[in-house]
Amino acid sequence: MGELHLRPRGAPAVRRGWRRAAGLLACVLAPLSAPGVLRAHDQPFSFIDLTLAPGVVEGRVAAHVVDLAHEAGLPAPDSLLAAAYLEPRLDALRRVLGERLAVVADGETLRPRWRPGYEILADRRLVALRWRAERPRPAGEVRVAGPLFRWEGLHQTYLNVYQDGRLRHQDLLDRQHGESVYYTGGAPGVLAVARTFVAAGVHHIFIGPDHVLFIVGLLLLGGRLRRLLAIVTSFTVAHSLTLALATLELVNPPPRLVEPAIALSILYVGVDNLLHTPGRKDARAWIAFGFGFVHGFGFAGVLRQLGLPRGALGWSLASFNLGVELGQAAIVLGVAPLLALIRARSPKRHGGVVTLCSWCVALAGGYWFVRRVFLP
């Protein structure tokens, strides 16, 4: 590989700093840089272009000759810029790229069929190859994993997705951001968004013990179906509002305020249950409404981490919210009938269960509040 593996001498921190700076400034400073590591791989980037059309996905991959030579075991990277040297080795390069190209449409991994020909971009030390994959059904969701090459730690892959003759999606894949998702337009894209974000909403409810305990705490005192529906509806209306505001970045309080406030809501519900006396006015619907605003900001933080598709923002928001509601409904349908059954068989035992569970809710909320405030 010649000078490809040379590294400047010095302390590890110095070497890492030089390597990072070289990778980030390579494209701009390559013509001015001295020979050495930077010139050996002056452009640690690759490019993937996807064109989505009815019945077919077409692709173009442009890769740096250093990456191609390294992965194919070739001794002279720049020799790939000569057609006479490149053409006998096209099959090997296609095999290398095919092994690293990861494009998934609606859960199906696309198998590229390489097209004849190639492009040599000598000024950028790139070789580009084209491929296509037939799909009888239009894709709703397209996922691309990257970067294309992982042997070089700074490598980045630029992704462009075209549909209906327009550039619809761009992304940059590296070791920190290893997947990009594009939802197509029309019914397939809407269905893919709904499928993804409804499942994410349900999943978040059941992996978030703080939200589960808050809902359970509100249900412990029981009541008629109308009362329980009012409680759940109040919580839904409130968190849906702040979920939308935060997702649209109109109101965006920091997590260091939101997370302790969620814990405080759980503590409050548990203590309120313990202080409840027969004949006292039931304020659980108002409690659910007030703290629902806070929980909505918590939901929004999770939704942002999923990577919202800008072209289908409304559908993703509505689908995630629907998933949250389905998760809540499952909790209500599991807890409320059980509490009603215990109460019908033994009111005394029901009171003991409510007291014990309320203490558990209050203690968990207090623990999370202290931890999130003093031990973030």
Side-chain angles (χ1 to χ4, degrees), residues 90-101:
L90 281 177
D91 287 341
L93 299 184
R94 287 166 179 158
R95 183 173 61 254
V96 164
L97 293 175
E99 291 172 352
R100 286 151 185 79
L101 188 66

Side-chain angles (χ1 to χ4, degrees), residues 12 107 167 171 176 211 225-226 234 259 281 313 325 347 349 358 363 371:
L167 178 60
D171 210 342
Q176 285 70 47
H211 300 301
L225 179 61
R226 182 176 178 181
S234 297
E259 294 303 318
K281 184 177 180 181
L313 188 60
E325 303 318 313
R349 180 175 296 176
S358 296
L363 290 174
R371 183 174 179 178

